Amino acid sequence: MAVRLDGAALAAKLKERIRREAAALPTPPMLAVVLAGEDPASLVYVRGKERDCAECGIRTRTHRLPAEVSQEELLVLVDTLNRDEDVDGILVQLPLPMGLDSRPILHALSPEKDVDCFHPLNAGLLALGEPRFLPCTPAGVLELLDAYAIPIQGRRCLILGRSLLVGRPLAQLLTTRNGTVTLCHSKTQDLPALTRQADILVSAAGRPDLVTADMVKPGAAVVDVAMNRGADGRLTGDVDFPAVESVAGFLTPVPGGVGPMTRTCLLQNVLRAARFRRNC
Ligand code: NAP
């Protein structure tokens, strides 16, 4: 039976350390959140981030804007937050309402306050292997592997999904750690033949039951990043959990695996931004 990679427990431990380190700063770090519109999932995510920050002694200021906000108004707000000396990190909650283009908004963020690591400068630094911030979900996956002493160096790592948010930056981080990485996507052919070779298999495709037991190498570490909402409202990943549990060596639950780690890595980035800006 696979060992469960317990992201919730690890996140609680890491948050305790973040709380201590935030308390040691002259003033508590501050995260500004930009929330446009009323997307129900976004409202839940922002509430969760506000709560996480409060638990760790990080201040938050959420700027709530109507769905009709214009691109120019958003750019003006980002510019104001960039200049605000009290703000250490800025997070623009995605997706933005229809009609708004997120790219120019994310590119307008000060790279020093870009705690989601979306700015081209930060993405470039990551690609060079000199990251300023670590992208939250990929960093959370690595923290989880490290906490359970799962070796990366020399291991075959396969990622399902090549998004800018998860798959690509994770491929870079695993490569930096000397993993041998295969990045798969919807056009990849004969997926099972590839996945069966993986010592570390990460699924971030957003396709329920994509990963079946016959696709998993016995003893592999299987990390399920996906969060799929079923018709009944239940959250599931990409992995057929009950079947894969008896083949894999390690397996993340959904929920309670990568999700809490992503949230914790955001807090780490806010702390890091505060330290950069205050030279401490
Ligand atoms: P995305 O932008 O939609 O990307 C999905 C990727 O999966 C694409 O590269 C796509 O290939 C690939 N894909 C789709 N079907 C596939 C298949 N049958 N076989 C192989 N690859 C396939 O999604 P995302 O933003 O990266 O998010 C992925 C999942 O992770 C979602 O469920 C999301 O909710 C979840 N997520 C979780 C967290 C967390 O904290 N746990 C954080 C972020 C995202 P193409 O490029 O060819 O289209």
Side-chain angles (χ1 to χ4, degrees):
M1 226 33 169
V3 171
R4 283 197 189 198
L5 299 172
D6 188 344
L10 178 59
K13 226 191 283 176
L14 293 173
K15 276 159 82 175
E16 188 49 42
R17 196 182 72 203
I18 294 167
R19 198 184 58 73
R20 278 200 309 275
E21 292 181 12
L25 293 177
T27 51
M30 157 71 90
L31 172 68
V33 179
V34 177
L35 174 61
E38 306 247 313
D39 174 60
S42 293
L43 293 173
V44 172
Y45 289 140
V46 167
R47 265 202 303 276
K49 287 166 189 172
E50 289 168 338
R51 210 171 34 236
D52 289 341
C53 285
E55 280 174 26
C56 293
I58 294 172
R59 293 174 294 148
T60 52
R61 208 167 69 199
T62 300
H63 296 262
R64 291 167 201 279
L65 304 163
E68 302 73 36
V69 66
S70 71
Q71 189 89 12
E72 284 65 37
E73 284 169 312
L74 268 181
L75 284 168
V76 168
L77 174 59
V78 166
D79 184 50
T80 306
L81 296 174
N82 283 344
R83 293 162 191 266
D84 189 332
E85 280 300 314
D86 193 36
V87 171
D88 294 300
I90 306 170
L91 182 150
V92 178
Q93 184 64 44
L94 300 177
L96 290 174
M98 287 265 283
L100 293 171
D101 184 357
S102 60
R103 279 226 307 213
I105 308 286
L106 298 175
H107 292 191
L109 289 175
S110 160
E112 285 158 18
K113 298 186 178 187
D114 169 39
V115 288
D116 260 337
C117 197
F118 287 155
H119 191 280
L121 184 74
N122 289 324
L125 286 172
L126 178 70
L128 291 172
E130 305 164 23
R132 181 203 315 255
F133 296 112
L134 293 175
C136 298
T137 301
V141 172
L142 255 70
E143 288 263 18
L144 209 45
L145 295 173
D146 288 342
Y148 285 82
I150 296 166
I152 297 169
Q153 178 154 318
R155 298 302 166 110
R156 290 186 182 197
C157 311
L158 185 137
I159 306 167
L160 297 171
R162 58 177 163 182
S163 73
L164 295 175
L165 185 64
V166 186
R168 284 187 215 205
L170 179 59
Q172 286 166 344
L173 290 179
L174 289 168
T175 304
T176 304
R177 293 281 300 274
N178 296 321
T180 303
V181 180
T182 305
L183 189 57
C184 299
H185 45 79
S186 65
K187 311 290 183 297
T188 300
Q189 294 186 0
D190 200 2
L191 211 48
L194 297 171
T195 58
R196 275 196 290 270
Q197 297 177 36
D199 302 302
I200 298 173
L201 172 57
V202 181
S203 193
R207 299 280 180 275
D209 290 330
L210 173 66
V211 180
T212 48
D214 61 315
M215 292 169 73
V216 175
K217 177 177 175 177
V222 180
V223 178
D224 195 349
V225 171
M227 295 195 300
N228 308 304
R229 191 69 69 181
D232 57 358
R234 268 187 56 230
L235 203 60
T236 60
D238 287 347
V239 176
D240 177 358
F241 191 95
V244 169
E245 199 178 21
S246 56
V247 181
F250 299 87
L251 179 58
T252 51
V254 178
V258 176
M261 295 304 301
T262 298
R263 287 163 58 172
T264 306
C265 289
L266 173 70
L267 303 173
Q268 280 173 338
N269 280 347
V270 178
L271 187 60
R272 191 183 290 228
R275 286 196 178 127
F276 279 142
R277 298 188 58 252
R278 298 163 197 198
N279 284 323
C280 59

PDB file of all heavy atoms in Angstrom, residues 117 119-135 138 164 168-173 176:
ATOM      1  N   CYS A 117       5.091  34.411  -9.178  1.00  0.00           N
ATOM      2  CA  CYS A 117       6.175  34.074 -10.121  1.00  0.00           C
ATOM      3  C   CYS A 117       5.668  33.979 -11.564  1.00  0.00           C
ATOM      4  O   CYS A 117       6.014  33.072 -12.296  1.00  0.00           O
ATOM      5  CB  CYS A 117       6.860  32.776  -9.688  1.00  0.00           C
ATOM      6  SG  CYS A 117       8.467  32.529 -10.440  1.00  0.00           S
ATOM      7  N   HIS A 119       5.669  36.917 -13.655  1.00  0.00           N
ATOM      8  CA  HIS A 119       6.301  37.954 -14.479  1.00  0.00           C
ATOM      9  C   HIS A 119       7.391  37.320 -15.362  1.00  0.00           C
ATOM     10  O   HIS A 119       8.102  36.421 -14.905  1.00  0.00           O
ATOM     11  CB  HIS A 119       6.910  39.033 -13.570  1.00  0.00           C
ATOM     12  CG  HIS A 119       7.341  40.242 -14.329  1.00  0.00           C
ATOM     13  ND1 HIS A 119       8.530  40.296 -15.023  1.00  0.00           N
ATOM     14  CD2 HIS A 119       6.733  41.436 -14.532  1.00  0.00           C
ATOM     15  CE1 HIS A 119       8.637  41.476 -15.608  1.00  0.00           C
ATOM     16  NE2 HIS A 119       7.553  42.187 -15.321  1.00  0.00           N
ATOM     17  N   PRO A 120       7.516  37.793 -16.619  1.00  0.00           N
ATOM     18  CA  PRO A 120       8.528  37.201 -17.515  1.00  0.00           C
ATOM     19  C   PRO A 120       9.938  37.214 -16.919  1.00  0.00           C
ATOM     20  O   PRO A 120      10.703  36.275 -17.143  1.00  0.00           O
ATOM     21  CB  PRO A 120       8.474  38.086 -18.763  1.00  0.00           C
ATOM     22  CG  PRO A 120       7.163  38.774 -18.710  1.00  0.00           C
ATOM     23  CD  PRO A 120       6.717  38.843 -17.289  1.00  0.00           C
ATOM     24  N   LEU A 121      10.260  38.247 -16.149  1.00  0.00           N
ATOM     25  CA  LEU A 121      11.610  38.290 -15.558  1.00  0.00           C
ATOM     26  C   LEU A 121      11.797  37.130 -14.579  1.00  0.00           C
ATOM     27  O   LEU A 121      12.825  36.445 -14.578  1.00  0.00           O
ATOM     28  CB  LEU A 121      11.837  39.626 -14.841  1.00  0.00           C
ATOM     29  CG  LEU A 121      13.245  39.781 -14.279  1.00  0.00           C
ATOM     30  CD1 LEU A 121      14.240  40.053 -15.392  1.00  0.00           C
ATOM     31  CD2 LEU A 121      13.301  40.883 -13.245  1.00  0.00           C
ATOM     32  N   ASN A 122      10.776  36.893 -13.765  1.00  0.00           N
ATOM     33  CA  ASN A 122      10.884  35.801 -12.785  1.00  0.00           C
ATOM     34  C   ASN A 122      10.829  34.432 -13.467  1.00  0.00           C
ATOM     35  O   ASN A 122      11.531  33.504 -13.046  1.00  0.00           O
ATOM     36  CB  ASN A 122       9.789  35.940 -11.720  1.00  0.00           C
ATOM     37  CG  ASN A 122      10.063  37.114 -10.802  1.00  0.00           C
ATOM     38  OD1 ASN A 122      11.223  37.397 -10.492  1.00  0.00           O
ATOM     39  ND2 ASN A 122       9.021  37.815 -10.396  1.00  0.00           N
ATOM     40  N   ALA A 123      10.006  34.327 -14.524  1.00  0.00           N
ATOM     41  CA  ALA A 123       9.976  33.065 -15.291  1.00  0.00           C
ATOM     42  C   ALA A 123      11.336  32.837 -15.946  1.00  0.00           C
ATOM     43  O   ALA A 123      11.838  31.706 -15.991  1.00  0.00           O
ATOM     44  CB  ALA A 123       8.870  33.129 -16.350  1.00  0.00           C
ATOM     45  N   GLY A 124      11.959  33.928 -16.424  1.00  0.00           N
ATOM     46  CA  GLY A 124      13.281  33.824 -17.053  1.00  0.00           C
ATOM     47  C   GLY A 124      14.349  33.419 -16.044  1.00  0.00           C
ATOM     48  O   GLY A 124      15.196  32.561 -16.328  1.00  0.00           O
ATOM     49  N   LEU A 125      14.299  34.026 -14.863  1.00  0.00           N
ATOM     50  CA  LEU A 125      15.276  33.671 -13.820  1.00  0.00           C
ATOM     51  C   LEU A 125      15.137  32.191 -13.452  1.00  0.00           C
ATOM     52  O   LEU A 125      16.128  31.494 -13.241  1.00  0.00           O
ATOM     53  CB  LEU A 125      15.080  34.546 -12.575  1.00  0.00           C
ATOM     54  CG  LEU A 125      15.551  35.997 -12.706  1.00  0.00           C
ATOM     55  CD1 LEU A 125      15.130  36.818 -11.495  1.00  0.00           C
ATOM     56  CD2 LEU A 125      17.064  36.046 -12.872  1.00  0.00           C
ATOM     57  N   LEU A 126      13.892  31.743 -13.395  1.00  0.00           N
ATOM     58  CA  LEU A 126      13.651  30.329 -13.083  1.00  0.00           C
ATOM     59  C   LEU A 126      14.268  29.439 -14.173  1.00  0.00           C
ATOM     60  O   LEU A 126      14.939  28.447 -13.867  1.00  0.00           O
ATOM     61  CB  LEU A 126      12.139  30.081 -12.982  1.00  0.00           C
ATOM     62  CG  LEU A 126      11.711  28.650 -12.717  1.00  0.00           C
ATOM     63  CD1 LEU A 126      12.078  28.242 -11.303  1.00  0.00           C
ATOM     64  CD2 LEU A 126      10.216  28.480 -12.937  1.00  0.00           C
ATOM     65  N   ALA A 127      14.056  29.823 -15.441  1.00  0.00           N
ATOM     66  CA  ALA A 127      14.597  29.031 -16.559  1.00  0.00           C
ATOM     67  C   ALA A 127      16.127  29.010 -16.520  1.00  0.00           C
ATOM     68  O   ALA A 127      16.745  28.034 -16.934  1.00  0.00           O
ATOM     69  CB  ALA A 127      14.100  29.604 -17.893  1.00  0.00           C
ATOM     70  N   LEU A 128      16.725  30.087 -16.012  1.00  0.00           N
ATOM     71  CA  LEU A 128      18.188  30.141 -15.913  1.00  0.00           C
ATOM     72  C   LEU A 128      18.714  29.369 -14.703  1.00  0.00           C
ATOM     73  O   LEU A 128      19.912  29.264 -14.506  1.00  0.00           O
ATOM     74  CB  LEU A 128      18.638  31.603 -15.801  1.00  0.00           C
ATOM     75  CG  LEU A 128      18.444  32.452 -17.055  1.00  0.00           C
ATOM     76  CD1 LEU A 128      18.748  33.909 -16.756  1.00  0.00           C
ATOM     77  CD2 LEU A 128      19.345  31.942 -18.175  1.00  0.00           C
ATOM     78  N   GLY A 129      17.781  28.896 -13.884  1.00  0.00           N
ATOM     79  CA  GLY A 129      18.203  28.180 -12.668  1.00  0.00           C
ATOM     80  C   GLY A 129      18.623  29.125 -11.561  1.00  0.00           C
ATOM     81  O   GLY A 129      19.332  28.737 -10.631  1.00  0.00           O
ATOM     82  N   GLU A 130      18.181  30.405 -11.654  1.00  0.00           N
ATOM     83  CA  GLU A 130      18.513  31.385 -10.607  1.00  0.00           C
ATOM     84  C   GLU A 130      17.228  32.025 -10.082  1.00  0.00           C
ATOM     85  O   GLU A 130      17.061  33.245 -10.147  1.00  0.00           O
ATOM     86  CB  GLU A 130      19.388  32.499 -11.188  1.00  0.00           C
ATOM     87  CG  GLU A 130      20.633  32.037 -11.874  1.00  0.00           C
ATOM     88  CD  GLU A 130      21.229  33.136 -12.759  1.00  0.00           C
ATOM     89  OE1 GLU A 130      20.974  34.327 -12.527  1.00  0.00           O
ATOM     90  OE2 GLU A 130      21.947  32.768 -13.696  1.00  0.00           O
ATOM     91  N   PRO A 131      16.289  31.232  -9.599  1.00  0.00           N
ATOM     92  CA  PRO A 131      14.970  31.801  -9.287  1.00  0.00           C
ATOM     93  C   PRO A 131      15.005  32.820  -8.148  1.00  0.00           C
ATOM     94  O   PRO A 131      15.756  32.666  -7.204  1.00  0.00           O
ATOM     95  CB  PRO A 131      14.143  30.584  -8.875  1.00  0.00           C
ATOM     96  CG  PRO A 131      15.124  29.549  -8.489  1.00  0.00           C
ATOM     97  CD  PRO A 131      16.362  29.808  -9.274  1.00  0.00           C
ATOM     98  N   ARG A 132      14.179  33.853  -8.301  1.00  0.00           N
ATOM     99  CA  ARG A 132      13.970  34.825  -7.220  1.00  0.00           C
ATOM    100  C   ARG A 132      12.807  34.300  -6.353  1.00  0.00           C
ATOM    101  O   ARG A 132      12.914  34.202  -5.164  1.00  0.00           O
ATOM    102  CB  ARG A 132      13.598  36.174  -7.820  1.00  0.00           C
ATOM    103  CG  ARG A 132      13.388  37.266  -6.789  1.00  0.00           C
ATOM    104  CD  ARG A 132      12.496  38.383  -7.332  1.00  0.00           C
ATOM    105  NE  ARG A 132      12.813  38.814  -8.662  1.00  0.00           N
ATOM    106  CZ  ARG A 132      13.429  39.962  -8.960  1.00  0.00           C
ATOM    107  NH1 ARG A 132      13.795  40.773  -8.010  1.00  0.00           N
ATOM    108  NH2 ARG A 132      13.646  40.289 -10.216  1.00  0.00           N
ATOM    109  N   PHE A 133      11.703  33.963  -7.035  1.00  0.00           N
ATOM    110  CA  PHE A 133      10.577  33.302  -6.374  1.00  0.00           C
ATOM    111  C   PHE A 133      10.411  31.926  -7.004  1.00  0.00           C
ATOM    112  O   PHE A 133      10.714  31.749  -8.187  1.00  0.00           O
ATOM    113  CB  PHE A 133       9.276  34.084  -6.582  1.00  0.00           C
ATOM    114  CG  PHE A 133       9.283  35.439  -5.963  1.00  0.00           C
ATOM    115  CD1 PHE A 133       9.268  36.580  -6.748  1.00  0.00           C
ATOM    116  CD2 PHE A 133       9.305  35.587  -4.581  1.00  0.00           C
ATOM    117  CE1 PHE A 133       9.284  37.841  -6.176  1.00  0.00           C
ATOM    118  CE2 PHE A 133       9.315  36.839  -4.003  1.00  0.00           C
ATOM    119  CZ  PHE A 133       9.308  37.973  -4.791  1.00  0.00           C
ATOM    120  N   LEU A 134       9.893  30.978  -6.236  1.00  0.00           N
ATOM    121  CA  LEU A 134       9.579  29.675  -6.810  1.00  0.00           C
ATOM    122  C   LEU A 134       8.084  29.639  -7.105  1.00  0.00           C
ATOM    123  O   LEU A 134       7.277  30.048  -6.262  1.00  0.00           O
ATOM    124  CB  LEU A 134       9.939  28.566  -5.821  1.00  0.00           C
ATOM    125  CG  LEU A 134      11.436  28.403  -5.554  1.00  0.00           C
ATOM    126  CD1 LEU A 134      11.671  27.357  -4.471  1.00  0.00           C
ATOM    127  CD2 LEU A 134      12.172  28.023  -6.830  1.00  0.00           C
ATOM    128  N   PRO A 135       7.694  29.169  -8.294  1.00  0.00           N
ATOM    129  CA  PRO A 135       6.259  29.071  -8.593  1.00  0.00           C
ATOM    130  C   PRO A 135       5.598  28.130  -7.585  1.00  0.00           C
ATOM    131  O   PRO A 135       6.135  27.063  -7.276  1.00  0.00           O
ATOM    132  CB  PRO A 135       6.233  28.515 -10.015  1.00  0.00           C
ATOM    133  CG  PRO A 135       7.597  27.960 -10.260  1.00  0.00           C
ATOM    134  CD  PRO A 135       8.547  28.613  -9.342  1.00  0.00           C
ATOM    135  N   PRO A 138       4.565  24.044  -8.361  1.00  0.00           N
ATOM    136  CA  PRO A 138       5.774  23.214  -8.554  1.00  0.00           C
ATOM    137  C   PRO A 138       6.654  23.169  -7.294  1.00  0.00           C
ATOM    138  O   PRO A 138       7.165  22.108  -6.933  1.00  0.00           O
ATOM    139  CB  PRO A 138       6.491  23.916  -9.712  1.00  0.00           C
ATOM    140  CG  PRO A 138       5.416  24.605 -10.468  1.00  0.00           C
ATOM    141  CD  PRO A 138       4.435  25.054  -9.441  1.00  0.00           C
ATOM    142  N   LEU A 164       1.907  26.696 -18.280  1.00  0.00           N
ATOM    143  CA  LEU A 164       2.886  27.657 -17.734  1.00  0.00           C
ATOM    144  C   LEU A 164       2.785  27.708 -16.219  1.00  0.00           C
ATOM    145  O   LEU A 164       3.724  28.076 -15.528  1.00  0.00           O
ATOM    146  CB  LEU A 164       2.624  29.049 -18.313  1.00  0.00           C
ATOM    147  CG  LEU A 164       2.843  29.176 -19.816  1.00  0.00           C
ATOM    148  CD1 LEU A 164       2.444  30.560 -20.305  1.00  0.00           C
ATOM    149  CD2 LEU A 164       4.292  28.877 -20.178  1.00  0.00           C
ATOM    150  N   ARG A 168       5.388  23.168 -16.994  1.00  0.00           N
ATOM    151  CA  ARG A 168       6.684  23.670 -17.483  1.00  0.00           C
ATOM    152  C   ARG A 168       7.614  24.097 -16.352  1.00  0.00           C
ATOM    153  O   ARG A 168       8.777  23.684 -16.330  1.00  0.00           O
ATOM    154  CB  ARG A 168       6.476  24.822 -18.462  1.00  0.00           C
ATOM    155  CG  ARG A 168       6.025  24.305 -19.797  1.00  0.00           C
ATOM    156  CD  ARG A 168       5.988  25.409 -20.803  1.00  0.00           C
ATOM    157  NE  ARG A 168       4.868  25.157 -21.691  1.00  0.00           N
ATOM    158  CZ  ARG A 168       4.796  25.607 -22.916  1.00  0.00           C
ATOM    159  NH1 ARG A 168       5.752  26.353 -23.411  1.00  0.00           N
ATOM    160  NH2 ARG A 168       3.751  25.330 -23.664  1.00  0.00           N
ATOM    161  N   PRO A 169       7.132  24.928 -15.410  1.00  0.00           N
ATOM    162  CA  PRO A 169       8.059  25.293 -14.327  1.00  0.00           C
ATOM    163  C   PRO A 169       8.473  24.092 -13.482  1.00  0.00           C
ATOM    164  O   PRO A 169       9.611  24.029 -13.008  1.00  0.00           O
ATOM    165  CB  PRO A 169       7.279  26.321 -13.495  1.00  0.00           C
ATOM    166  CG  PRO A 169       5.866  26.263 -13.956  1.00  0.00           C
ATOM    167  CD  PRO A 169       5.871  25.701 -15.320  1.00  0.00           C
ATOM    168  N   LEU A 170       7.591  23.116 -13.330  1.00  0.00           N
ATOM    169  CA  LEU A 170       7.969  21.915 -12.565  1.00  0.00           C
ATOM    170  C   LEU A 170       9.063  21.152 -13.300  1.00  0.00           C
ATOM    171  O   LEU A 170      10.003  20.636 -12.678  1.00  0.00           O
ATOM    172  CB  LEU A 170       6.732  21.027 -12.334  1.00  0.00           C
ATOM    173  CG  LEU A 170       6.996  19.738 -11.564  1.00  0.00           C
ATOM    174  CD1 LEU A 170       7.579  20.019 -10.177  1.00  0.00           C
ATOM    175  CD2 LEU A 170       5.713  18.909 -11.423  1.00  0.00           C
ATOM    176  N   ALA A 171       8.953  21.078 -14.635  1.00  0.00           N
ATOM    177  CA  ALA A 171       9.993  20.409 -15.425  1.00  0.00           C
ATOM    178  C   ALA A 171      11.341  21.092 -15.190  1.00  0.00           C
ATOM    179  O   ALA A 171      12.376  20.435 -15.063  1.00  0.00           O
ATOM    180  CB  ALA A 171       9.622  20.437 -16.906  1.00  0.00           C
ATOM    181  N   GLN A 172      11.310  22.429 -15.107  1.00  0.00           N
ATOM    182  CA  GLN A 172      12.575  23.165 -14.882  1.00  0.00           C
ATOM    183  C   GLN A 172      13.141  22.863 -13.497  1.00  0.00           C
ATOM    184  O   GLN A 172      14.343  22.627 -13.348  1.00  0.00           O
ATOM    185  CB  GLN A 172      12.331  24.665 -15.045  1.00  0.00           C
ATOM    186  CG  GLN A 172      12.152  25.040 -16.506  1.00  0.00           C
ATOM    187  CD  GLN A 172      11.571  26.423 -16.684  1.00  0.00           C
ATOM    188  OE1 GLN A 172      11.023  27.013 -15.760  1.00  0.00           O
ATOM    189  NE2 GLN A 172      11.674  26.934 -17.887  1.00  0.00           N
ATOM    190  N   LEU A 173      12.273  22.865 -12.505  1.00  0.00           N
ATOM    191  CA  LEU A 173      12.773  22.612 -11.137  1.00  0.00           C
ATOM    192  C   LEU A 173      13.324  21.190 -11.008  1.00  0.00           C
ATOM    193  O   LEU A 173      14.370  20.976 -10.393  1.00  0.00           O
ATOM    194  CB  LEU A 173      11.653  22.831 -10.102  1.00  0.00           C
ATOM    195  CG  LEU A 173      11.194  24.272  -9.876  1.00  0.00           C
ATOM    196  CD1 LEU A 173      10.072  24.314  -8.836  1.00  0.00           C
ATOM    197  CD2 LEU A 173      12.349  25.147  -9.420  1.00  0.00           C
ATOM    198  N   THR A 176      16.650  20.990 -12.743  1.00  0.00           N
ATOM    199  CA  THR A 176      17.690  21.624 -11.919  1.00  0.00           C
ATOM    200  C   THR A 176      18.152  20.666 -10.824  1.00  0.00           C
ATOM    201  O   THR A 176      19.321  20.673 -10.435  1.00  0.00           O
ATOM    202  CB  THR A 176      17.144  22.931 -11.290  1.00  0.00           C
ATOM    203  OG1 THR A 176      16.683  23.754 -12.349  1.00  0.00           O
ATOM    204  CG2 THR A 176      18.206  23.674 -10.504  1.00  0.00           C
TER     205      THR A 176
END
